[in-house]
Amino acid sequence: MSSPDGRYMSSSQSSILSGKPTPPSAVPTATPPPTPLNSIAYSTLQQVPFGNGTASRQNGSVHILQQPNLYYPWLINYQNPQSNLQLYPQYNYPFHQPQASQQLTSSHFGNQTEVLRKPRSSFTDAQVVLLEEQFRQSKFIGGSDREKLSKDTGLSEQQIKVWFQNKRIRMEKLKEPKLYSQNNHPFHQRQTCQHQPIRQSVNLEKVPRYRVSITNAQLTKLEERFKKNQYILKRERLDLAKAIGLLESEIRNWFQNKRQKLKKRGIQKEDQEETDVEIDICTFDSFATN
DNA sequence: CGGGACTAATCC
DNA sequence: GGATTAGTCCCG
């Protein structure tokens, strides 16, 4: 059910893709998915491939045309542009160096460089079981193994590749020393049952989640640091973790959530302002006609 | 329901 | 491989 983006492109179909902006390799054994819309900005989105059709952008909304296209396979499952096709702002990494292509295109629509992003899907327990099983055999997957796992799970090979990438990194993170704070730390206020993995995806046992409560003293320090710079690199994260008695991961999560919250609130505010303007116009119109 | 944690997907 | 985003989960 939750694997809508699984089946979309057979390796035989990928040969059709030659002559396009980012054609995948012609080698059938290693068929990398097409380069996602990572550096495609608005100007190139005037006609973006969309499943078995083509999406075009007009006056801020995306329209679906009916020409066949196989470039952005996940979109085939999201035929309804209103509900599923979204334009997301381009990433703004702390030390991101914009590519030439991005700089070229970003001026077309002001500074609003936006890209399409695949709607996030969540894998079923059954799918994760198979993925974990394969991961236990080998940390890397490719070739026929990946093809088979794709068939078994109903996930695309791209999704499987990404899952393995993320899984390897998750495993590495688990190996990192945990730097638990000492009990006599001035900021220390730690419950006993924290840092249990929330969901043991290996055996799919749902381990109860324990919430970490960040103390006011810690919050003050975090806010203070966030005001200076919304991004914090690993080195400083470790120092701060030690200084205020949190884990590095807790600080990382806090900064991530904080940025997310800020952005969300900001967007909500913008929307509010826009509707405010509309309301103003409406009231003015009704006033003028009276 | 706010917010800390997890994770699929993206970008380098 | 690592950092990050954004959608989601779920505890208090």
Side-chain angles (χ1 to χ4, degrees):
Chain A
M1 168 208 96
S2 75
S3 60
D5 22 17
R7 47 207 84 82
Y8 48 73
M9 183 166 67
S10 71
S11 52
S12 62
Q13 284 173 309
S14 64
S15 61
I16 306 170
L17 299 174
S18 54
K20 285 295 188 172
T22 52
S25 160
V27 184
T29 49
T31 49
T35 302
L37 305 173
N38 43 21
S39 31
I40 298 181
Y42 260 171
S43 61
T44 42
L45 279 178
Q46 292 303 318
Q47 277 232 326
V48 297
F50 184 74
N52 57 4
T54 301
S56 74
R57 189 182 181 282
Q58 247 178 17
N59 298 330
S61 61
V62 176
H63 293 45
I64 308 307
L65 309 178
Q66 287 310 312
Q67 298 115 12
N69 198 303
L70 298 166
Y71 278 95
Y72 304 100
W74 59 79
L75 295 174
I76 203 168
N77 301 292
Y78 298 96
Q79 296 287 344
N80 182 353
Q82 268 88 26
S83 60
N84 292 312
L85 183 61
Q86 298 169 352
L87 292 170
Y88 289 83
Q90 179 58 286
Y91 290 118
N92 185 24
Y93 289 146
F95 310 104
H96 178 239
Q97 292 294 325
Q99 297 298 300
S101 61
Q102 292 173 338
Q103 286 176 324
L104 271 175
T105 52
S106 61
S107 61
H108 269 80
F109 296 90
N111 289 326
Q112 295 244 306
T113 309
E114 294 184 272
V115 296
L116 293 169
R117 186 186 170 110
K118 182 183 187 296
R120 186 194 160 92
S121 49
S122 51
F123 300 163
T124 63
D125 286 356
Q127 288 169 328
V128 174
V129 165
L130 290 175
L131 287 163
E132 296 281 2
E133 195 180 304
Q134 182 69 37
F135 189 81
R136 274 200 298 277
Q137 314 231 345
S138 169
K139 309 293 175 221
F140 293 85
I141 188 164
S144 56
D145 283 343
R146 195 168 69 183
E147 208 174 311
K148 184 181 184 306
L149 192 55
S150 170
K151 283 207 180 80
D152 291 348
T153 55
L155 298 171
S156 71
E157 293 198 33
Q158 167 73 4
Q159 285 176 305
I160 288 170
K161 195 187 87 180
V162 167
W163 188 89
F164 269 73
Q165 282 171 350
N166 284 325
K167 179 70 182 176
R168 283 195 298 271
I169 290 166
R170 282 200 294 273
M171 294 310 278
E172 282 305 307
K173 286 225 172 91
L174 280 179
K175 276 198 262 176
E176 285 172 13
K178 283 272 174 178
L179 282 181
Y180 285 95
S181 56
Q182 313 90 329
N183 285 339
N184 60 355
H185 193 283
F187 289 93
H188 183 265
Q189 187 185 323
R190 188 169 290 288
Q191 292 154 10
T192 47
C193 299
Q194 331 183 56
H195 309 121
Q196 298 278 350
I198 276 133
R199 194 167 30 168
Q200 298 276 17
S201 53
V202 180
N203 51 25
L204 298 171
E205 288 289 325
K206 307 269 197 254
V207 174
R209 204 185 253 193
Y210 295 96
R211 253 184 95 81
V212 179
S213 56
I214 294 174
T215 65
N216 282 334
Q218 289 165 333
L219 202 57
T220 305
K221 292 286 180 190
L222 288 167
E223 298 276 9
E224 196 178 290
R225 174 59 184 77
F226 188 82
K227 226 177 274 178
K228 271 199 286 186
N229 190 338
Q230 298 189 5
Y231 292 87
I232 181 165
L233 293 178
K234 184 160 184 159
R235 179 64 251 167
E236 199 187 344
R237 220 158 51 208
L238 282 166
D239 292 343
L240 187 59
K242 219 172 170 187
I244 68 177
L246 288 173
L247 295 178
E248 189 213 335
S249 61
E250 289 168 342
I251 292 180
R252 176 171 32 79
N253 290 336
W254 188 88
F255 269 75
Q256 278 172 2
N257 285 323
K258 182 79 176 173
R259 286 192 300 266
Q260 191 171 9
K261 215 186 322 172
L262 210 68
K263 191 170 186 177
K264 253 183 192 161
R265 302 252 160 102
I267 287 165
Q268 273 175 8
K269 215 176 169 189
E270 273 175 34
D271 286 352
Q272 189 55 48
E273 279 163 13
E274 271 174 39
T275 52
D276 283 352
V277 170
E278 280 165 25
I279 289 163
D280 284 350
I281 292 165
C282 287
T283 47
F284 175 76
D285 284 347
S286 59
F287 178 77
T289 50
N290 282 346

